């Protein structure tokens, strides 16, 4: 789980909000779909900037904490991309 997801999970637990309550506040008409996306954000590595922005309008997180978590997440994603690129390069040389 990425740092941004962990911060969001902690905040939801801290506020005692349910996925259904959040989906309703976010304006989802299809609550099942909204709850599924919220679940993925809280408990998995779902990291859509647009969705996170919408989510944070309903579940506020301290801006400083959020900024640190976002930077850490971006660093991790960049490192993963670099590792994948290097892995592909090595595989290409094996062939």
């Amino acid at each position: 789980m990425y740092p941004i997801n962990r911060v969001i999970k902690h905040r939801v637990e801290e506020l005692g909000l349910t996925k259904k309550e959040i989906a309703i506040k976010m304006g989802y008409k299809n609550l099942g779909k909204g709850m599924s996306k919220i679940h993925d954000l809280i408990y998995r590595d779902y990291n859509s900037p647009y969705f996170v922005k919408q989510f944070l309008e309903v579940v506020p997180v301290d801006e400083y904490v959020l900024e640190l978590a976002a930077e850490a997440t971006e660093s991790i994603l960049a490192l993963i991309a670099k590792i994948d690129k290097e892995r592909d390069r090595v595989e290409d040389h094996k062939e």
Side-chain angles (χ1 to χ4, degrees), residues 10-56:
H10 176 75
R11 185 65 173 148
V12 167
E13 290 171 351
E14 183 178 68
L15 295 173
L17 296 170
T18 66
K19 290 176 276 194
K20 184 176 181 179
E21 290 171 327
I22 297 168
I24 290 169
K25 288 180 179 184
M26 288 179 74
Y28 274 92
K29 291 183 180 18
N30 181 339
L31 291 180
K33 182 178 179 180
M35 290 168 50
S36 176
K37 289 181 98 172
I38 292 163
H39 178 85
D40 288 347
L41 177 65
I42 296 171
Y43 298 104
R44 297 200 173 108
D45 289 339
Y46 183 66
N47 191 17
S48 162
Y50 177 74
F51 185 75
V52 170
K53 183 179 177 186
Q54 283 184 308
F55 183 89
L56 292 172

